[in-house]
Amino acid sequence: VQLQASGGGLVQPGGSLRLSCAASGLILSTFTGSTLAWYRQTPGNQREMVAQIIPSTGTKYADSVQGRFTISKDNTRKTVYLQMNDLKPEDTGVYYCNVVIFGDDRNQLWGQGTQVTVSS
């Protein structure tokens, strides 16, 4: 099982990026029944949750990205996305996708991380 993240890059403040994370090796029912999330980490700081999709509950966002970021998924492709709009320099960091299998924190998958840099 592998999570492959992509879509990071350099963007100016106010710009947009879309991150993708493809889950290979997961059967569909596992993908749809699991919590899907994006985290980010900046130098000297702990990894923080940015956005989540929780089955039967919905989506959840960090206060700092509410209204600017949107998490979504394509079950057919077993891919989770993070649309990031109105990017700010403080959004700079390494973004990781995360799957918590059936909501069990003891059974998690992490992607390899993709760098997002917001700078003029």
Side-chain angles (χ1 to χ4, degrees), residues 1-3 23-34 36 73-79 99 101-102 109:
V1 180
Q2 186 177 12
L3 301 181
S24 60
L26 281 181
I27 62 174
L28 181 58
S29 60
T30 301
F31 182 79
T32 59
S34 299
L36 311 174
K73 63 175 181 172
D74 183 331
N75 289 332
T76 301
R77 299 178 184 272
K78 287 181 278 185
T79 299
V99 176
I101 305 297
F102 296 122
L109 304 170

Side-chain angles (χ1 to χ4, degrees), residues 12-87:
Q12 293 186 339
S16 298
L17 282 174
R18 189 176 81 153
L19 306 183
S20 300
C21 177
S24 60
L26 281 181
I27 62 174
L28 181 58
S29 60
T30 301
F31 182 79
T32 59
S34 299
T35 298
L36 311 174
W38 287 95
Y39 285 72
R40 71 182 174 200
Q41 187 163 22
T42 56
N45 294 311
Q46 288 186 332
R47 198 172 292 187
E48 62 171 345
M49 190 277 292
V50 173
Q52 282 181 320
I53 297 176
I54 305 170
S56 302
T57 299
T59 56
K60 180 179 178 181
Y61 297 92
D63 290 344
S64 60
V65 307
Q66 183 76 46
R68 300 187 297 120
F69 290 12
T70 303
I71 189 170
S72 63
K73 63 175 181 172
D74 183 331
N75 289 332
T76 301
R77 299 178 184 272
K78 287 181 278 185
T79 299
V80 57
Y81 303 97
L82 185 67
Q83 177 66 42
M84 304 185 293
N85 297 329
D86 190 23
L87 282 160

Side-chain angles (χ1 to χ4, degrees), residues 7-9 11 17 19 84 87 91-95 114-118:
V11 64
L17 282 174
L19 306 183
M84 304 185 293
L87 282 160
D91 295 318
T92 295
V94 179
Y95 284 69
T114 183
Q115 176 71 43
V116 171
T117 302
V118 184

